[in-house]
């Protein structure tokens, strides 16, 4: 950081200025394949995504995180990259990508792409060359090899439903290779300087095209060392620091977003100002569901109380769902069991250490609970990330393999194929959802745009309100003393803005007394309807909330009396 400020002198962005754009962003995670098919081949493509940018702009999102779209055999849906600097032919061409990027930027929407650093596809030419290269040569050493499967024994297997070991025998090489994910995804060897060079070239390629940042996929696992968990090693942090300065020196305000499914203290190490700008808050996410299930604020309050310090320029990325299973890795085994029982009683809905369901089905398609969880997503400290389709309450299909059940085509209308594609329905990349409560004839963008009270229109209002207050993205967060454990209450403060958030986690009406003594004389103004409540006085402030209700108030200076 210091280096960049020196190097760039007056042009360096002062902390707190609008150049910390990621702090005010509303991020939308999108899968090119399942968003919109422009040419009727059954697969979404960049032209289709470009056509839908107006929809995304209208929704109010300010950044897109685009899932991997590179040439790939799709064993892991594109996270098995076979060529880092091109576009999968099913999605279009590089030209299509460039047009998409330009059109997004024209609408003030930034684009974050996935940078899969840790591994490649086994079809990548680097791996094909490595397995045939002389043992010990620099080409062979692009990957991590061993004569025995006994090294790094203490490292857990992540895809435990699919892989028995992190080592797989390669008959061509006559050796075992290391992989943290599927066996088709050999891990690159970051002890080899040539791998750094090759990856920096990939980084330069996309930065020069103008992408605004990278999500660093599976970033803790870059290095391996005997006797460790091989996650978040000092060497890995050193690499990220080098990556950050490389990008900052050449391209300025682009961002790095860490995907690290780790405890908060570990995550904070990525957020000290010289590594990543953001990291997904994996420990908070399952605790939102736990709090909702227990109707008790404590799981969330505990995370907020113990939040480790991060640099002022860093930010949490908050999410409720994404393209993977809802990961339950960051909770205790007892809590995991409790969450499985509560949210995935059907074993078919479980996968690895998680739940393969979308937001609406997880919440029993209960509009109040969906609104409450989104209200938390949009008001707790961090930048919210919406998963495509969750803004209309899309359903899922737990009978599809792996995590594909949460990656079904976007439901645009009640037309054939949910308006996603004109292809023969049998040709679609994935079947559209026809589960009765979530059927695309009922749950779709067109119908919801036409209905003022739809979830989609509600989400648009939520986003618009959030954007009016910088306190949500940048403010401090203070938990408030509330005499009712069903109620979570906190303030967000930035400059002269103070926002009070009160959320009822229970399915019944609740009353709460809040200690607002610091705000004596202030008037709570509802951020949605602008109605005002009685000013804060000397006594604890009393509020009642309906089942799963929530309030966002601005605490505004009251009229000067006397
Ligand atoms: C990340 C991705 C996931 C992928 C894995 C391996 O966790 O989110 O979809 O399978 O990395 O690349």
């Amino acid at each position: 950081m210091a280096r960049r400020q020196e190097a760039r002198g007056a042009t360096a962005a002062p902390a707190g200025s609008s150049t910390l754009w990621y702090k005010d962003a509303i991020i939308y995670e999108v899968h090119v394949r399942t968003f919109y098919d422009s040419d009727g081949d059954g697969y979404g493509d960049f032209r289709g995504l470009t056509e839908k940018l107006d929809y995304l702009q209208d929704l109010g999102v300010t950044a897109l995180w685009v899932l991997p779209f590179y040439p790939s055999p799709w064993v892991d849906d594109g996270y098995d990259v076979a060529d880092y600097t091109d576009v999968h032919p099913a999605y279009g061409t590089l030209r299509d990508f460039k047009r998409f990027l330009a059109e997004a930027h024209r609408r003030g929407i930034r684009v974050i792409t996935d940078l899969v650093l840790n591994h490649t596809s086994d079809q990548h030419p680097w791996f094909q060359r490595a397995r045939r290269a002389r043992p010990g040569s620099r080409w062979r050493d692009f990957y991590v090899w061993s004569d025995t499967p006994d090294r790094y024994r203490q490292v857990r297997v992540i895809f435990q439903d699919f892989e028995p070991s992190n080592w797989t025998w390669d008959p061509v090489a006559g050796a075992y290779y290391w992989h943290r994910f599927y066996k088709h995804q050999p891990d690159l060897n970051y002890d080899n300087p040539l791998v750094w060079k090759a990856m920096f070239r990939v980084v330069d390629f996309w930065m020069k095209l103008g992408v605004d940042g990278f999500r660093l996929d599976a970033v803790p696992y870059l290095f391996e060392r005997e006797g460790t968990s091989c996650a978040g090693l000092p060497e890995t942090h050193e690499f990220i620091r080098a990556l950050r300065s490389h990008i900052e020196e050449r391209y300025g305000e682009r961002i790095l977003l860490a995907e690290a499914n780790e405890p908060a203290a570990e995550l904070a190490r990525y957020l000290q100002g010289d590594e990543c700008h953001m990291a997904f808050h994996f420990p908070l996410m399952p605790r939102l569901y736990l709090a909702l299930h227990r109707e008790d604020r404590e799981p969330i309050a505990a995370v907020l109380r113990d939040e480790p310090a991060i640099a002022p320029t860093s930010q949490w990325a908050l999410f409720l769902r994404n393209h993977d299973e809802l990961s339950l890795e960051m909770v205790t085994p007892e809590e995991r069991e409790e969450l499985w029982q509560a949210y995935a009683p059907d074993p078919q809905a479980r996968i690895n250490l998680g739940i393969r369901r979308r937001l609406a089905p997880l919440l029993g398609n209960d509009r109040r609970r969906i609104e409450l969880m989104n209200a938390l997503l949009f008001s707790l400290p961090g930048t919210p990330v919406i998963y495509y389709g969750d803004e209309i309450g899309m359903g899922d299909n737990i009978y599809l393999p792996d995590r594909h059940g949460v990656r079904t085509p976007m439901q645009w209308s009640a037309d054939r194929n949910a308006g996603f594609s004109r292809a023969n329905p049998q040709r679609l990349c994935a079947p559209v959802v026809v589960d009765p409560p979530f059927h695309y004839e009922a749950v779709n963008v067109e119908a919801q745009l036409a209905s003022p009270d739809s979830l989609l229109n509600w989400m648009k209002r939520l986003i618009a309100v959030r954007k009016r207050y910088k306190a949500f993205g940048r403010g401090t967060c203070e938990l408030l003393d509330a005499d009712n454990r069903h109620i979570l209450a906190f303030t967000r403060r930035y400059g002269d803005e103070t926002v009070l958030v009160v959320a009822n986690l229970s399915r019944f009406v609740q009353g709460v007394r809040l200690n607002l003594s610091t705000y004596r004389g202030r008037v709570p103004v509802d951020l949605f309807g602008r109605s005002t409540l009685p000013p804060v006085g000397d006594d604890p402030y009393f509020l009642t909330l309906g089942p799963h209700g929530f309030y966002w108030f601005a605490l505004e200076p009251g009229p000067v009396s006397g």
Side-chain angles (χ1 to χ4, degrees), residues 169-181:
W169 174 254
D170 180 32
V172 178
Y176 292 92
Y177 62 90
W178 178 251
H179 54 88
R180 290 308 307 267
F181 296 92

Side-chain angles (χ1 to χ4, degrees), residues 500-522:
L500 167 64
V501 176
V502 190
N504 177 10
L505 295 157
S506 132
R507 82 215 117 110
F508 300 113
V509 169
Q510 298 293 335
V512 65
R513 274 179 209 82
L514 295 176
N515 178 0
L516 291 180
S517 49
T518 7
Y519 303 104
R520 202 180 165 280
R522 299 271 193 120

Side-chain angles (χ1 to χ4, degrees), residues 65 67 76-77 79-80 114 116 119 158-159 181-182 185 215 217-218 259 282 322-324 403 407:
W65 151 31
L67 290 177
D76 188 11
D77 208 359
Y79 281 98
D80 45 334
D114 235 296
V116 188
H119 46 266
I158 297 170
F159 286 170
F181 296 92
Y182 285 122
Q185 290 164 300
R215 168 191 181 268
D217 181 62
E259 190 229 8
F282 276 94
N322 62 20
H323 64 292
D324 289 323
R403 291 147 291 170
R407 305 174 187 172

Side-chain angles (χ1 to χ4, degrees), residues 14 83 244 250:
D83 179 351
R244 168 92 174 235
R250 288 166 185 76

